[in-house]
Each structure stands twice: as C-alpha cells, then as structure tokens.
Amino acid sequence: MDQREGRGRELGASGRPAGCVRGGVTLPAELYACLTARGDALFELCDALLCTDGPVRTLVDLALAPEHRRGHGALYGGINQGRIDVARLRRALAGVPLPRAADGRLVLPVDVSPWLRPDATRLLTGPFATPSAGGEGKHQMVPGWPYSVVAALETGRTSWTAVLDAVRLEPGADVAAVTTAQIREVVERLVVAGQWRPGDTEVLAVLNAGYEAARIAHLLGDLLDEILGRLRSDRVMRRPTPARKEFSLANPRAVGRPSTAASSSSATPQTWGTEHVVTVTDTRLYGRASAQAWDRLHPQLTRWAARLDHGGPLPIIEGTVIRLALKKLPSGRVNKPVWLWWSETGATEVEVDRCWQSFHRRFDIEHTFRLFKQTLGWTKPRLCTSEAADRWTWLVIAAYVQLRLARPLATDLRRPGEKPTEANKLTSTRVRRGFRKRHAKTGSPAGAPKPSRPGPGRPPGSRNRRPATRHGVGRVLAAGEAFSRPAHHKFGTKPRRTG
C-alpha cells in the first residue's frame, strides 16, 4: 500500500464530516492520494484556501495562512510543476452524496464559465478568444480559458450545487461534441459509483441558450438521460409530416408530390397551433407562471457545420417545445417568454411543470461560479500555462466540495447585522468562515516541511537569460483555422473609399 494513502486512511475515524467518508477513506485523504507530484504543497494550498478568512486576492496571501506551512516558492512550484490524477478525483466526486430533485432524479446543469486574461495577451499557452458580454448589444472577444462545468442541483431555496466535472475548451473545439462526451462520462461514473441504478428515474441534463440541445440529445440517444435546453426566440420548428393517402377511385389525386411538414416559428404566434398541454402555477418569486407545450416538434436540419459529413438522410429529432411566460422577474431583468425544448414526447402537465422548474433551478450554478471567482479566487492568479490553470481549477473544486460536505457540522459565526440561520441552511461563505475551527481538530495527510535555506538566486546586476516563452494570441475558428483580420480592420488603418 502507498505510504501516502496509508497516512490518509488513518483519518477515517477523525473529526472530518461524515459525508466526507467513502469506503473508510475521507475525501481529503482521497484528494491527497490524487496529488501525484508535489502533493504536500498542493494539499496545504487547498487547506489554506478553505481556512483563509475573506475573499482570496492573490496566491501569496494563501502562503501566509497558518495551514500552509511552506513558503511561497513551494506554493508556485506546486501549481506550476505539480501533477493531479484528475481521473481518480472525478471518480471520488461522483461517489460523494449528491443532492436530488423531489422525485429522486439527478438534475445536471451544464454551463461554460470563462477565466478571462485580458492582461496576458502574449503569455498564454493554447490561447483562446473567449466571448464576453461587453454591454447592451455588444459582443467582444477577450483572451482567456473557458471551462465547461457539470454539477448536480439541489431543491429548495439554496445556492449550493455539487460540482462533478470541469473541462477546459480547446481553441476551435466543437462545444456540442465536448458537452456530449462530458455528459456521457459523468453519467457513466455515476452509474459505476452506484448513484444511478436500473429502475431509477432518468438523469436530466439542463442546458442554457447557445447549445444545440437536439444534436446533443441525438448523440446521447443510447444513454438513459433526458436533455432540456433553451431555444432562441426566433427558432423555427417542424411538425410531423402527415401520412400520405393511398390511391383510390374516391381520391384519384392522392398520387403526386409528398406532403411536407408544417413549420412553427417562435416569433409568429399564428403558426403555433393548438397546445397539447397548458399549465398555470402560482410561484412566490415570479408570480403566476403559465406554460404551453407542443408535442412532437423537431428542428429542421441542414447539411452544414457538424452535419457536413453525415451519411444518409438527416435525422428527425422529435421533442416537446415549452413556452414559459412569467408574470414578473427580479428587478433589472427583462420579462420575456422563454422557449424550451425537451427531448421526450407525450409530456403531461406534471412533466411540463418539472421541466420549466428544473430550468430555473439551473441558474444555481451561476451562484457557484460567483463563489469560485469572488470568494475562492478562481480567476485571481495570473498563471502563464493552461496546465497550471487546470491544477488550480481542480483545487478550487475540491475545496468547494469539502465545504458542501462540511455544511451539516458548520458553526454559524454571524457578523453584526446578519440574521441567524439554521445549521443545515448556511451559505457557502458562512460555512467557510468557521471551517478553520473544524480543521484544527483533524489531522493532515501532508508531511511536515523540511528545513531548508533559500538559494542565492540570480546575482545582482545580471540579466535574465531565460525569458518566458511568448505566444501570439489570435482567434481560432470552429473549423480549426486561424482567423485573419481584414486589412481595413487592423489597428491604425482606415478603409479605403471607392467613391
């Protein structure tokens, strides 16, 4: 047995939260076993991230925490030269207790969150131009690393989610193909971990606008899960083609050109037709919510982009289209109807309500992203390589999972002006506030630092003869080709007038 794993197993009966224990091994011990190089420095960095009071501003501040017993050189050495067994860590995250919906279903939202680096336009390896909203009606490209994250949603009034996976999107990556592979791998790990068994309700994956929900549902056709995605407000869907009538003496005109399917445009109410299901629900936050559902609608596919090499006729992917209209929205948001597409047909009133409620619960993952960036400092380090960004991302995820599992044992340390909250309903920030007291009662699998003296460094007055590698940042198209800016769009030039 590995010596490091042996030290980790000794903590199985310690004061760690009961939810962290899996098979006699605590989650911190499993995390330590996943750190295959410079594990002591990375593990203590994760502990410092959990125990530091207040938002994380820089990595150097974490090196000053009592839980990080090493210097800042070991901290940066672990981030830049360390190694993490990501596959094992993913299996560990799939095995911890996961939240479920009211009917016992696993609801998995998928979304992309960017790590923007506008100040490092020539220092990133594998640069990617990340789309970012630049204001009303604007769209600009900012260098950075986009990450596709999959989590499990909880029910009730909470902002907690159970993060299961994170994948960095490569330049020119097909987002639909990457998302499909990511969902498939997550569901397979959940099945292996015993989170889903035959006879359970199907897993529901919820996607926001920007994903091809129908294509992802077609690629995941052999997997036991459902896809729910948001449609554009001007999307055109097709109805089933009516059956062709047989030739008879009473109907001699039956033979001829086959009949075509009627279309339904979201922007044209005259083409909607009669709804199959209509539900009205009174909600506390949004007021009255009315949902209309049309059965067996499919998008009209054309041979372009990802379907250029598709052999044979294009598939017909039928589903249920849901139009959700809310009476009110929180201040500052425009109240517009939302169009959803569900990969199943024959929806009932209960299933329609479950779909639109699951879609609104999907926005809980936005609270997780905000916690990662504003409190845990996910995007604060100015790293130069994408590999170092991946290590830091997984450390942040591991710290967040420990916070979620420690929630039942957390102590409510209220600040002046904060209202009392039940122990099992504390926010992630308030759980982190008291994590240091809980951490002091438990051991650590990390070894003690060895005494050493700093090296002499570069002599004063000498030049750095090994400068960092600089990489040019440019846009990459979906086809993998580099984007070349037109001559009249370049900086410092003006378009030539022809008249």
Side-chain angles (χ1 to χ4, degrees):
M1 181 177 62
D2 188 3
Q3 183 180 2
R4 294 175 358 133
E5 293 189 22
R7 286 186 295 183
R9 285 186 170 87
E10 295 174 359
L11 302 178
S14 63
R16 290 283 183 180
C20 294
V21 180
R22 174 175 175 265
V25 182
T26 61
L27 180 62
E30 186 69 15
L31 169 63
Y32 184 76
C34 296
L35 308 177
T36 57
R38 298 181 183 260
D40 295 337
L42 291 176
F43 188 85
E44 291 190 354
L45 174 60
C46 186
D47 279 351
L49 180 62
L50 285 167
C51 300
T52 300
D53 189 18
V56 176
R57 303 300 181 186
T58 60
L59 286 180
V60 179
D61 293 338
L62 296 178
L64 302 179
E67 292 74 17
H68 193 275
R69 299 173 293 178
R70 290 162 173 81
H72 68 278
L75 183 148
Y76 282 103
I79 290 292
N80 295 323
Q81 283 86 33
R83 287 195 302 271
I84 300 179
D85 189 353
V86 178
R88 181 172 181 176
L89 184 55
R90 284 169 171 160
R91 292 192 298 269
L93 297 182
V96 299
L98 297 180
R100 298 176 182 269
D103 57 350
R105 184 189 309 270
L106 285 171
V107 182
L108 308 180
V110 185
D111 203 355
V112 176
S113 182
W115 180 342
L116 303 182
R117 291 298 309 277
D119 56 338
T121 56
R122 296 185 63 85
L123 291 179
L124 304 179
T125 58
F128 189 92
T130 305
S132 174
E136 185 67 24
K138 297 182 180 179
H139 194 73
Q140 57 183 344
M141 306 296 287
V142 181
W145 296 299
Y147 281 85
S148 176
V149 180
V150 180
L153 295 180
E154 293 191 5
T155 57
R157 299 177 58 184
T158 178
S159 60
W160 288 93
T161 61
V163 180
L164 296 173
D165 191 24
V167 174
R168 176 172 47 84
L169 300 179
E170 297 290 343
D174 188 350
V175 179
V178 174
T179 304
T180 301
Q182 188 178 17
I183 295 176
R184 181 182 298 276
E185 294 174 358
V186 169
V187 173
E188 291 176 352
R189 288 195 295 268
L190 293 177
V191 172
V192 173
Q195 302 284 3
W196 188 93
R197 295 179 177 86
D200 295 347
T201 54
E202 295 184 353
V203 180
L204 177 63
V206 186
L207 311 174
N208 200 8
Y211 290 92
E212 290 188 79
R215 180 188 170 196
I216 294 176
H218 177 67
L219 296 176
L220 293 175
D222 59 334
L223 203 63
L224 297 177
D225 63 343
E226 302 173 2
I227 302 298
L228 176 66
R230 183 175 179 178
L231 298 175
R232 298 196 314 266
S233 58
D234 58 347
R235 186 65 183 267
V236 177
M237 308 295 289
R238 307 287 289 182
R239 293 189 176 89
T241 304
R244 187 177 181 182
K245 298 180 180 180
E246 298 293 339
F247 173 79
S248 64
L249 296 177
N251 188 17
R253 297 184 179 181
V255 178
R257 184 176 181 180
S259 57
T260 59
S263 61
S264 175
S265 175
S266 304
T268 308
Q270 294 80 7
T271 62
W272 294 353
T274 305
E275 310 91 340
H276 291 75
V277 175
V278 178
T279 64
V280 178
T281 308
D282 292 330
T283 62
R284 180 190 59 84
L285 183 60
Y286 306 107
R288 176 162 296 183
S290 59
Q292 305 167 267
W294 291 266
D295 194 23
R296 296 187 62 190
L297 294 184
H298 64 274
Q300 183 179 3
L301 304 182
T302 56
R303 293 188 180 277
W304 61 274
R307 292 178 285 271
L308 282 174
D309 301 332
H310 184 81
L314 294 175
I316 296 178
I317 311 170
E318 292 185 343
T320 302
V321 175
I322 303 173
R323 180 182 184 269
L324 175 63
L326 303 176
K327 184 177 181 180
K328 62 178 181 178
L329 287 179
S331 59
R333 296 175 58 185
V334 180
N335 189 3
K336 293 182 179 180
V338 178
W339 291 87
L340 307 175
W341 185 87
W342 185 42
S343 60
E344 301 295 324
T345 57
T348 62
E349 294 184 1
V350 176
E351 291 175 337
V352 170
D353 287 339
R354 175 174 60 83
C355 286
W356 72 259
Q357 291 174 7
S358 299
F359 176 77
H360 273 277
R361 295 298 313 179
R362 187 210 70 84
F363 290 95
D364 290 347
I365 198 173
E366 303 293 342
H367 297 284
T368 303
F369 292 152
R370 183 176 62 180
L371 175 75
F372 282 5
K373 296 180 179 181
Q374 297 183 1
T375 304
L376 300 182
W378 174 36
T379 58
K380 295 299 182 181
R382 298 183 178 182
L383 305 176
C384 297
T385 62
S386 55
E387 292 79 9
D390 292 343
R391 297 185 196 100
W392 174 244
T393 299
W394 279 107
L395 287 181
V396 172
I397 293 176
Y400 175 73
V401 174
Q402 295 184 59
L403 286 178
R404 185 178 67 85
L405 297 178
R407 180 173 44 167
L409 301 179
T411 304
D412 186 13
L413 301 179
R414 295 186 294 112
R415 290 178 177 175
E418 292 182 345
K419 298 181 180 180
T421 308
E422 297 180 14
N424 58 344
K425 294 185 179 180
L426 294 176
T427 62
S428 52
T429 303
R430 293 171 75 165
V431 172
R432 179 171 175 259
R433 191 180 300 165
F435 196 88
R436 173 168 286 171
K437 291 186 177 181
R438 179 66 54 182
H439 179 270
K441 300 178 182 180
T442 63
S444 175
K450 298 179 181 180
S452 61
R453 293 181 300 177
R458 190 168 68 245
S462 62
R463 300 182 59 182
N464 183 14
R465 301 185 182 276
R466 294 190 301 175
T469 306
R470 304 178 70 87
H471 305 269
V473 175
R475 300 181 186 177
V476 180
L477 303 179
E481 302 176 357
F483 173 80
S484 59
R485 186 186 297 271
H488 62 278
H489 287 176
K490 293 183 179 180
F491 179 78
T493 61
K494 295 182 179 180
R496 185 180 60 181
R497 295 185 178 180
T498 57

